[in-house]
Amino acid sequence: MAGDMTAPAAVAPALFLGAGPRPGEQLRAHALAVADAVTAASGRGRPYSGADPAALAAAIAAIDPCPEDGIEFEDVLAGLAGTVLAHGVDVADPCCAAHLHCPTLLPAAAAELAIGATNQSLDSFDQAPAATLVEDHLVRWLAATLGLPDGSGVLTSGGTASNLLGLLIAREQACARVAGHGLGAGLPARHRRWRIVTSRGAHDSVRRAAAVLGLGTDAVVAVATDRAGRLDVAALDGALAALDAAGDEPIAIVATAGTTDLGAIDPLAPIAERARACGAWLHVDAAVGSAFALSPRLAPRLAGLERADSITADLHKLWFMPIGASALLVRDVAVLDAVHHHSDYLNRADDQADGVLNLVGRSLDTSRRFDALKILVGLRSTGRRRMAAMVEGLVDLTAAAGRAVQEHDELELLAPPSTVTVVFRWRPAAGSPLPAAAVDAVNVAAQRALLRSGRAIVGRTRLDGRIALKLTLVNPLADEAGVQRLLELVAGAARDARAHAETAR
Ligand SMILES: Cc1ncc(COP(=O)(O)O)c(C=O)c1O
């Protein structure tokens, strides 16, 4: 009964930490049950069940999200095990290789429980005192590790959000250069001349950020790349000269350290020189490559990163953290004032006088998770040496995969591997040629058939207008034999697709 004041006390103890006679017992039981359920759902010997999408949708639609009376936790889990957990992708399966989507460090995954159960909210100190200081400590460490010794930043939900925040700062810096322009006035008329210069290999989130920031996707100037997918510095010079001649202003240059498809690391130092010379903000999207900083062997490939004004680093890629875990790092924390808004209930003047940090002043979010905890737990449990060894192992595995593609009769390597991606295509054997469109169709069919059967999840993209397949090797459990098996699966599926197309003709 709604007005019955005793009812909540009668039902609450088992639901909340800190209540009931044996605090924590319920949480421990739930944690064990979850651990058992996810373990049972993993290691199926294939990365996906291959469930028919319509049948899966129907099974999920049949779940009552909020039954009138609650169901025992173990029964809820058991119900979801067959419907949901069994039909997830297994990121630890070596044949799950489409995306920058890694298996997660178990200590970090376990720390998610602490994040959820303690529910610190990173917007204000009075909702997360130690958590606020942990995040501040962590982002300073990350900034220093990536070459900004006096830098800082903020955690975000992902690389898309970090790129948006980096470009928002660039836009606010440009606004500040327009005489008499204040934050309240929106964009000055001059914004129609503002451009964001990046490479053709940059992540799509750069264009999305331009749209969200009111500059429009046409404000993004995409510069040509070389065969390995690195921004071509001569083309950048040409693009900057053309902007100058047209009276347009490059407010930001976005370099990428590890592009999504080819894994290319742009030449950061020459790009930094151009940014400095034309007064543009230098944002480096190191969503992929940031983990190279942990390895003395790989870190030199990030030379020039230390000249960035802002950096995106995704911890849920090559740092093996559970999604979401990303950071936007800046050389000077004062630039994050671009998102600082006074609010009487969160960000009070007397807090500042007390030396209290309210991270809402650095973020586009208000309530925000304590993701710093899982990162801290994951990194401290694993240690730099093992982190570096895993990243180095993946770069070596990718190079080996590139060689295996080159040596394969039916596969063609489309670009030299740079970091953790191999981009390739099935091709017909010499003596049985096919038109390019038919080759593309076979590659599409092979990728789709593998996903449908659940045997392998490989990436599919376009390179110079043609279909390309992609392996993204971010699973430290994968080895060369596994990659070879994966390539054979692709070649076999392509052979089947070609035979099918020929009989259908
Ligand atoms: C280079 C790069 N930047 C940004 C992103 C976006 O990251 P997220 O998916 O975490 O938003 C990606 C995603 O793959 C990426 O490859």
Side-chain angles (χ1 to χ4, degrees):
M1 198 177 112
D4 182 352
M5 296 300 287
T6 60
V11 298
L15 293 177
F16 298 100
L17 192 63
R22 282 187 293 274
E25 194 172 289
Q26 202 68 40
L27 179 66
R28 198 174 307 119
H30 289 349
L32 284 175
V34 169
D36 288 345
V38 296
T39 307
S42 69
R44 295 174 299 225
R46 56 175 52 200
Y48 177 49
S49 65
D52 169 60
L56 188 54
I60 288 172
I63 299 172
D64 178 355
C66 186
E68 201 58 32
D69 293 305
I71 301 167
E72 283 299 323
F73 183 77
E74 283 71 15
D75 295 337
V76 173
L77 266 190
L80 295 181
T83 335
V84 178
L85 298 180
H87 303 293
V89 298
D90 184 351
V91 286
D93 188 299
C95 287
C96 185
H99 299 285
L100 289 151
H101 184 195
C102 57
T104 53
L105 295 169
L106 290 182
E112 289 275 10
L113 183 65
I115 297 171
T118 63
N119 209 28
Q120 305 296 287
S121 184
L122 273 285
D123 39 343
S124 62
F125 188 86
D126 62 3
Q127 296 177 87
T132 296
L133 298 173
V134 167
E135 175 168 320
D136 186 55
H137 182 50
L138 180 72
V139 289
R140 286 171 194 260
W141 176 83
L142 280 169
T145 300
L146 295 180
L148 307 178
D150 301 318
S152 182
V154 66
L155 294 188
T156 75
S157 57
T160 301
S162 294
N163 283 344
L164 173 63
L165 186 52
L167 289 171
L168 184 150
I169 298 169
R171 188 195 68 177
E172 292 310 308
Q173 300 283 312
C175 281
R177 289 196 292 270
V178 175
H181 192 80
L183 264 183
L187 294 179
R190 171 140 190 86
H191 83 269
R192 291 193 184 80
R193 295 252 163 228
W194 289 349
R195 298 291 177 266
I196 295 169
V197 183
T198 190
S199 91
R200 278 191 198 148
H203 190 257
D204 192 50
S205 53
V206 173
R207 287 164 54 78
R208 274 195 268 163
V212 171
L213 294 172
L215 306 180
T217 53
D218 289 350
V220 178
V221 177
V223 170
T225 53
D226 66 13
R227 187 169 146 352
R230 288 175 298 228
L231 181 144
D232 177 334
V233 177
L236 174 63
D237 287 337
L240 292 174
L243 292 182
D244 193 41
D248 292 336
E249 184 185 348
I251 62 161
I253 298 182
V254 180
T256 311
T259 58
T260 315
D261 278 343
L262 296 185
I265 298 179
D266 287 339
L268 302 178
I271 295 172
E273 265 167 41
R274 272 56 175 191
R276 173 110 14 113
C278 69
W281 185 260
L282 176 61
H283 177 72
V284 178
D285 178 354
V288 179
S290 53
F292 280 24
L294 295 168
S295 153
R297 191 186 108 197
L298 298 172
R301 295 184 58 191
L302 299 177
L305 186 61
E306 71 285 354
R307 294 166 73 175
D309 295 303
S310 57
I311 300 172
T312 289
D314 275 7
L315 291 304
H316 59 214
K317 293 191 167 70
L318 280 173
W319 300 66
F320 315 114
M321 299 296 164
I323 296 165
S326 177
L328 186 276
L329 305 163
V330 287
R331 167 180 303 285
D332 174 5
V333 74
V335 298
L336 282 166
D337 283 351
V339 288
H340 182 105
H341 288 280
H342 171 76
S343 96
D344 286 327
Y345 85 104
L346 282 179
N347 218 350
R348 298 161 296 225
D350 50 309
D351 284 344
Q352 278 174 29
D354 291 345
V356 163
L357 182 59
N358 293 314
L359 288 179
V360 68
R362 295 183 188 173
S363 175
L364 286 168
D365 294 323
T366 305
S367 299
R368 198 157 56 80
R369 287 164 48 90
F370 184 19
D371 285 314
L373 182 68
K374 71 191 181 199
I375 299 169
L376 190 79
V377 170
L379 290 178
R380 282 182 59 74
S381 305
T382 311
R384 187 207 55 79
R385 234 192 291 267
R386 264 197 298 178
M387 291 291 294
M390 288 192 283
V391 179
E392 289 166 7
L394 289 169
V395 171
D396 293 344
L397 181 65
T398 308
R403 289 192 295 276
V405 169
Q406 266 175 320
E407 286 159 14
H408 201 289
D409 291 345
E410 297 164 279
L411 304 176
E412 177 186 8
L413 185 67
L414 300 179
S418 299
T419 48
V420 291
T421 54
V422 186
V423 178
F424 65 105
R425 147 182 332 129
W426 171 86
R427 63 164 174 220
S432 70
L434 272 184
V439 173
D440 281 0
V442 167
N443 279 283
V444 169
Q447 181 267 333
R448 292 178 65 195
L450 288 171
L451 175 63
R452 245 192 337 261
S453 70
R455 283 178 300 155
I457 307 180
V458 298
R460 168 153 57 91
T461 185
R462 274 185 187 275
L463 200 61
D464 301 328
R466 295 279 313 278
I467 295 293
L469 301 180
K470 177 170 74 164
L471 302 187
T472 307
L473 300 174
V474 291
N475 176 0
L477 302 170
D479 59 12
E480 287 187 38
V483 167
Q484 197 66 50
R485 267 198 310 280
L486 186 49
L487 294 176
E488 290 311 328
L489 281 173
V490 173
R495 241 177 277 131
D496 291 348
R498 181 180 189 181
H500 185 73
E502 277 169 5
T503 49
R505 234 191 284 134

